[in-house]
Amino acid sequence: MNGMLTLRDVHFAYADGTPALQGVSLDIPRGGKTAIVGANGAGKSTLFLTLNGTLRPSQGEIKLDGRLMTYGRRDLEQWRRQVGLVFQDPDVQLFSASVEQDISFGPLNMGLTEDEVRRRVEEALIATGTEPLRNRPVHALSYGQKKRVSIAGVYAMQPDVMVLDEPLAWLDPAGQQEILALLAQLHRAGTTLVMAVHQMDVVADWADMVIVLQAGQVIYQGAPQGVLAQQERLLSVGLTPPWPVQVFHDLRLAGLPLEGEPPLTRAALTEQIVRAWPKK
Amino acid sequence: MSGNFIVGQYIPGTSPLHKLDPRTKLIMVFAYTIGLFFLPTWLPVLLAGIPLGIAVYASRLPWRYLLLGLRPLWILLVITFLLHLLGGSSTAPPAPEDVWATLGPWTITGTGAATGFTTVLRLAWLFSAASLLTLTTSPMMVTHGLERLLGPLKRWRFPAHELAMMTSIALRFIPTLQEEMDKIIKAQAARGSSWRYGSWTRRAQALVALMVPLLLSALRRADDLAVAMEARGYQGGEGRTAHHPLQMTRIDRWLLIITALAGITIILWRWA
């Protein structure tokens, strides 16, 4: 596995003594789509802030491209250039007078030439479909538009890894599909994606790697199939399995002789049901 | 709430006044304000309205906007005028030929009326000039202009960039905080609390109940924003790309020269 970001035994506690991360070790593969799941308070948001050096762990090490990160100014600059963070609440992130200005904030901080900043802002506006909003004040946007603009602001910094904290939260189904399509597009363009999600159905469809956090510890890292199919285990850490897994177990309880592993997708479930049908 | 007309809120446009460099406008408003207080009597102050009128014309904004801008000020203007009118402008007893009428303890004098008129005009011109600046210049441009004007002070560690950044963030969050206040009011009203009704003590309590969460959320917002800015690589003004370099045109230079000449004229005239 080609680890892009590697965490080894990372600990972090907040100033009031609340431990948020307790020995987290994980690998974010290059070019992957990693979903980070866990109940509220499991440490997802804290983990994300440590992933680009905004929070400094009290113990443990973080490597970016195999290089141990220190917290000097140069390192932090490099780090934030390579790992972009999209916050859950876009109102936290957006603060400039207009959409265009907000998107330019990151690139300006990087000290790029003005032409380069302009070019990147244009690119981000087009890639995220926010071009028609460019001169709008950020506080006048709808929630979904704000989400897109906050993604555009990080996109313009052209990070190797984009880390998104619950990008689908509070969006209606159409809004969620739009964001997922945008993420798919970013992924095709070569960006490594990491995102926190609550809906296991989305994880099943989207991720090629799942990391499960519980009480500040990684209790699973691996392929989605390995954990999403385990109903009991998911329920025990406060997560709900994808609905095909639930239906699979329900049908088995009801006496339908389904075989093999619980399916993660609707298509796989239908196929298993069709196969089991004649035997009944 | 934020949909209402807000006094002095920027109205985008392409008029000659909109196109001026924000620095020019800032300097002119500043000079105009100082100049107003150097003008001694009502006639020159009245005439000072002419450049203002030209500026309004050049802004291609409806006159209504400026009058609307003066509306919250009118009580202050009336009170100012009355104070001058009734109180006179000097402590010495007024000359008999100056007295217009006597109303009980008050003596209305010509001098009082003239001073009152002058002061009211000064305030009205000053306020109009300032709102004309914000009506035709986006908050961002005002901030850029200020940052550039105060830039030379950076040498003495004056935080020009930080000040500009602070101003623009404050402006951005006014509507957000308004919205938040609205939400809190509604959420509390839904549970039967209101600072609009009831006895004074109840209202005061309700107001505290409103201010505390509002203040807390503003503080939390500040904290979150700081983290978010840092996450996008912000480390203060150093090393940042200079953004929107402001460009003075020939018109800007001409206007500044005219402003300077007008200033010198007023000073020389007052000196003599």
Short mmCIF file of all heavy atoms in Angstrom, two decimals, chain B residues 71-105:
data_model
loop_
_atom_site.label_atom_id
_atom_site.label_comp_id
_atom_site.label_asym_id
_atom_site.label_seq_id
_atom_site.Cartn_x
_atom_site.Cartn_y
_atom_site.Cartn_z
N ARG B 71 -32.29 59.93 7.00
CA ARG B 71 -33.48 59.78 7.81
C ARG B 71 -33.20 59.43 9.28
O ARG B 71 -33.78 60.07 10.16
CB ARG B 71 -34.41 58.74 7.19
CG ARG B 71 -35.85 58.99 7.52
CD ARG B 71 -36.76 58.13 6.70
NE ARG B 71 -36.32 56.74 6.70
CZ ARG B 71 -36.97 55.76 6.12
NH1 ARG B 71 -38.06 56.02 5.45
NH2 ARG B 71 -36.51 54.53 6.14
N PRO B 72 -32.32 58.46 9.54
CA PRO B 72 -32.10 58.15 10.96
C PRO B 72 -31.46 59.33 11.70
O PRO B 72 -31.40 59.35 12.92
CB PRO B 72 -31.17 56.94 10.93
CG PRO B 72 -30.65 56.85 9.56
CD PRO B 72 -31.59 57.57 8.67
N LEU B 73 -30.97 60.31 10.94
CA LEU B 73 -30.22 61.40 11.54
C LEU B 73 -31.12 62.58 11.87
O LEU B 73 -30.72 63.49 12.58
CB LEU B 73 -29.15 61.84 10.53
CG LEU B 73 -27.84 62.38 11.08
CD1 LEU B 73 -27.12 61.29 11.82
CD2 LEU B 73 -26.98 62.92 9.95
N TRP B 74 -32.35 62.57 11.33
CA TRP B 74 -33.09 63.83 11.35
C TRP B 74 -33.43 64.32 12.75
O TRP B 74 -33.41 65.51 13.01
CB TRP B 74 -34.31 63.79 10.43
CG TRP B 74 -35.50 63.06 10.98
CD1 TRP B 74 -35.79 61.75 10.83
CD2 TRP B 74 -36.57 63.63 11.76
NE1 TRP B 74 -36.96 61.44 11.47
CE2 TRP B 74 -37.47 62.58 12.05
CE3 TRP B 74 -36.85 64.90 12.24
CZ2 TRP B 74 -38.62 62.76 12.81
CZ3 TRP B 74 -38.01 65.09 12.99
CH2 TRP B 74 -38.87 64.03 13.27
N ILE B 75 -33.69 63.39 13.69
CA ILE B 75 -33.99 63.82 15.06
C ILE B 75 -32.79 64.55 15.65
O ILE B 75 -32.91 65.62 16.25
CB ILE B 75 -34.36 62.61 15.94
CG1 ILE B 75 -35.67 62.02 15.44
CG2 ILE B 75 -34.46 63.00 17.40
CD1 ILE B 75 -36.21 60.88 16.25
N LEU B 76 -31.61 63.98 15.40
CA LEU B 76 -30.39 64.61 15.87
C LEU B 76 -30.24 66.00 15.26
O LEU B 76 -29.90 66.98 15.95
CB LEU B 76 -29.19 63.74 15.47
CG LEU B 76 -27.83 64.30 15.85
CD1 LEU B 76 -27.63 64.24 17.35
CD2 LEU B 76 -26.72 63.53 15.14
N LEU B 77 -30.57 66.11 13.98
CA LEU B 77 -30.44 67.41 13.30
C LEU B 77 -31.42 68.43 13.91
O LEU B 77 -31.05 69.57 14.20
CB LEU B 77 -30.72 67.25 11.80
CG LEU B 77 -29.71 66.42 11.03
CD1 LEU B 77 -30.06 66.37 9.55
CD2 LEU B 77 -28.29 66.97 11.20
N VAL B 78 -32.66 67.99 14.14
CA VAL B 78 -33.66 68.90 14.70
C VAL B 78 -33.22 69.35 16.09
O VAL B 78 -33.25 70.55 16.42
CB VAL B 78 -35.05 68.20 14.76
CG1 VAL B 78 -36.02 69.03 15.59
CG2 VAL B 78 -35.58 68.02 13.35
N ILE B 79 -32.79 68.39 16.91
CA ILE B 79 -32.37 68.74 18.28
C ILE B 79 -31.20 69.72 18.25
O ILE B 79 -31.17 70.73 18.96
CB ILE B 79 -32.01 67.47 19.08
CG1 ILE B 79 -33.29 66.66 19.34
CG2 ILE B 79 -31.36 67.83 20.40
CD1 ILE B 79 -33.06 65.33 20.00
N THR B 80 -30.23 69.42 17.37
CA THR B 80 -29.07 70.31 17.26
C THR B 80 -29.51 71.72 16.91
O THR B 80 -29.08 72.70 17.53
CB THR B 80 -28.13 69.79 16.14
OG1 THR B 80 -27.89 68.42 16.36
CG2 THR B 80 -26.84 70.56 16.13
N PHE B 81 -30.40 71.80 15.93
CA PHE B 81 -30.86 73.12 15.50
C PHE B 81 -31.57 73.85 16.65
O PHE B 81 -31.27 75.00 16.94
CB PHE B 81 -31.80 72.97 14.30
CG PHE B 81 -32.23 74.29 13.74
CD1 PHE B 81 -31.32 75.11 13.08
CD2 PHE B 81 -33.53 74.74 13.91
CE1 PHE B 81 -31.70 76.33 12.58
CE2 PHE B 81 -33.92 75.98 13.41
CZ PHE B 81 -33.01 76.78 12.75
N LEU B 82 -32.47 73.13 17.34
CA LEU B 82 -33.23 73.76 18.43
C LEU B 82 -32.30 74.23 19.55
O LEU B 82 -32.47 75.32 20.09
CB LEU B 82 -34.26 72.77 18.98
CG LEU B 82 -35.48 72.57 18.08
CD1 LEU B 82 -36.45 71.58 18.70
CD2 LEU B 82 -36.17 73.90 17.79
N LEU B 83 -31.32 73.41 19.88
CA LEU B 83 -30.39 73.77 20.94
C LEU B 83 -29.69 75.09 20.61
O LEU B 83 -29.57 75.98 21.45
CB LEU B 83 -29.35 72.68 21.16
CG LEU B 83 -29.82 71.49 22.00
CD1 LEU B 83 -28.71 70.46 22.11
CD2 LEU B 83 -30.23 71.99 23.39
N HIS B 84 -29.23 75.16 19.35
CA HIS B 84 -28.55 76.39 18.95
C HIS B 84 -29.51 77.56 18.91
O HIS B 84 -29.19 78.67 19.34
CB HIS B 84 -27.91 76.20 17.57
CG HIS B 84 -26.62 75.46 17.64
ND1 HIS B 84 -25.46 76.04 18.11
CD2 HIS B 84 -26.29 74.20 17.31
CE1 HIS B 84 -24.49 75.16 18.06
NE2 HIS B 84 -24.97 74.03 17.58
N LEU B 85 -30.70 77.31 18.40
CA LEU B 85 -31.69 78.38 18.22
C LEU B 85 -32.10 78.96 19.58
O LEU B 85 -32.12 80.17 19.79
CB LEU B 85 -32.91 77.82 17.50
CG LEU B 85 -33.97 78.85 17.11
CD1 LEU B 85 -33.42 79.77 16.03
CD2 LEU B 85 -35.22 78.15 16.61
N LEU B 86 -32.41 78.05 20.52
CA LEU B 86 -32.94 78.50 21.81
C LEU B 86 -31.83 78.92 22.75
O LEU B 86 -31.97 79.85 23.53
CB LEU B 86 -33.77 77.38 22.45
CG LEU B 86 -34.99 76.94 21.64
CD1 LEU B 86 -35.66 75.76 22.29
CD2 LEU B 86 -35.96 78.10 21.48
N GLY B 87 -30.73 78.25 22.69
CA GLY B 87 -29.66 78.52 23.64
C GLY B 87 -28.75 79.64 23.21
O GLY B 87 -27.97 80.16 24.01
N GLY B 88 -28.86 80.06 21.97
CA GLY B 88 -27.91 81.06 21.47
C GLY B 88 -26.55 80.44 21.39
O GLY B 88 -26.36 79.29 21.78
N SER B 89 -25.60 81.14 20.89
CA SER B 89 -24.29 80.53 20.75
C SER B 89 -23.28 81.11 21.73
O SER B 89 -22.17 80.64 21.83
CB SER B 89 -23.78 80.70 19.32
OG SER B 89 -23.71 82.06 19.02
N SER B 90 -23.65 82.18 22.45
CA SER B 90 -22.68 82.74 23.38
C SER B 90 -23.31 82.84 24.76
O SER B 90 -24.52 82.79 24.92
CB SER B 90 -22.24 84.12 22.90
OG SER B 90 -23.38 84.96 22.83
N THR B 91 -22.47 82.98 25.76
CA THR B 91 -22.98 83.08 27.13
C THR B 91 -23.34 84.53 27.46
O THR B 91 -24.15 84.77 28.35
CB THR B 91 -21.92 82.57 28.12
OG1 THR B 91 -20.66 83.10 27.73
CG2 THR B 91 -21.88 81.06 28.13
N ALA B 92 -22.74 85.45 26.75
CA ALA B 92 -23.01 86.88 27.01
C ALA B 92 -24.45 87.20 26.59
O ALA B 92 -24.99 86.54 25.71
CB ALA B 92 -22.04 87.74 26.22
N PRO B 93 -25.07 88.17 27.23
CA PRO B 93 -26.41 88.53 26.81
C PRO B 93 -26.40 89.03 25.37
O PRO B 93 -25.49 89.77 24.97
CB PRO B 93 -26.81 89.66 27.76
CG PRO B 93 -25.64 89.92 28.63
CD PRO B 93 -24.56 88.97 28.33
N PRO B 94 -27.35 88.64 24.56
CA PRO B 94 -27.33 89.00 23.14
C PRO B 94 -27.60 90.48 22.93
O PRO B 94 -28.28 91.12 23.74
CB PRO B 94 -28.48 88.16 22.56
CG PRO B 94 -29.37 87.87 23.72
CD PRO B 94 -28.52 87.82 24.93
N ALA B 95 -27.04 90.97 21.86
CA ALA B 95 -27.30 92.36 21.49
C ALA B 95 -28.77 92.50 21.14
O ALA B 95 -29.33 91.61 20.52
CB ALA B 95 -26.43 92.75 20.29
N PRO B 96 -29.40 93.62 21.59
CA PRO B 96 -30.85 93.75 21.39
C PRO B 96 -31.28 93.65 19.93
O PRO B 96 -32.33 93.06 19.64
CB PRO B 96 -31.16 95.15 21.94
CG PRO B 96 -29.92 95.67 22.54
CD PRO B 96 -28.79 94.76 22.25
N GLU B 97 -30.45 94.15 19.00
CA GLU B 97 -30.90 94.13 17.61
C GLU B 97 -30.85 92.72 17.03
O GLU B 97 -31.41 92.46 15.95
CB GLU B 97 -30.07 95.10 16.74
CG GLU B 97 -28.60 94.73 16.58
CD GLU B 97 -27.73 95.29 17.70
OE1 GLU B 97 -28.29 95.70 18.75
OE2 GLU B 97 -26.49 95.32 17.56
N ASP B 98 -30.17 91.80 17.76
CA ASP B 98 -30.04 90.42 17.28
C ASP B 98 -31.26 89.58 17.70
O ASP B 98 -31.54 88.54 17.10
CB ASP B 98 -28.75 89.80 17.85
CG ASP B 98 -28.37 88.53 17.13
OD1 ASP B 98 -28.76 88.37 15.94
OD2 ASP B 98 -27.70 87.69 17.74
N VAL B 99 -31.96 90.04 18.73
CA VAL B 99 -33.05 89.24 19.29
C VAL B 99 -34.26 89.24 18.35
O VAL B 99 -34.72 90.28 17.89
CB VAL B 99 -33.45 89.77 20.67
CG1 VAL B 99 -34.67 89.02 21.21
CG2 VAL B 99 -32.29 89.65 21.64
N TRP B 100 -34.71 88.00 18.05
CA TRP B 100 -35.91 87.87 17.20
C TRP B 100 -37.17 87.79 18.05
O TRP B 100 -38.17 88.39 17.77
CB TRP B 100 -35.81 86.64 16.31
CG TRP B 100 -34.85 86.77 15.19
CD1 TRP B 100 -34.11 87.89 14.89
CD2 TRP B 100 -34.53 85.80 14.22
NE1 TRP B 100 -33.34 87.66 13.81
CE2 TRP B 100 -33.57 86.38 13.36
CE3 TRP B 100 -34.95 84.47 14.00
CZ2 TRP B 100 -33.03 85.69 12.29
CZ3 TRP B 100 -34.41 83.80 12.94
CH2 TRP B 100 -33.45 84.40 12.08
N ALA B 101 -37.08 87.00 19.11
CA ALA B 101 -38.24 86.82 19.97
C ALA B 101 -37.80 86.27 21.31
O ALA B 101 -36.67 85.78 21.44
CB ALA B 101 -39.22 85.85 19.31
N THR B 102 -38.67 86.42 22.31
CA THR B 102 -38.36 85.86 23.62
C THR B 102 -39.50 84.94 24.02
O THR B 102 -40.67 85.31 23.98
CB THR B 102 -38.20 86.97 24.67
OG1 THR B 102 -37.37 87.98 24.12
CG2 THR B 102 -37.58 86.43 25.94
N LEU B 103 -39.14 83.70 24.35
CA LEU B 103 -40.14 82.71 24.74
C LEU B 103 -39.80 82.28 26.15
O LEU B 103 -38.96 81.40 26.34
CB LEU B 103 -40.10 81.49 23.83
CG LEU B 103 -40.62 81.62 22.39
CD1 LEU B 103 -40.26 80.39 21.60
CD2 LEU B 103 -42.13 81.82 22.40
N GLY B 104 -40.42 82.86 27.15
CA GLY B 104 -40.11 82.50 28.53
C GLY B 104 -38.62 82.68 28.79
O GLY B 104 -38.07 83.75 28.55
N PRO B 105 -37.97 81.61 29.24
CA PRO B 105 -36.55 81.74 29.57
C PRO B 105 -35.67 81.77 28.30
O PRO B 105 -34.48 82.06 28.39
CB PRO B 105 -36.27 80.49 30.39
CG PRO B 105 -37.30 79.50 29.95
CD PRO B 105 -38.51 80.29 29.54
#
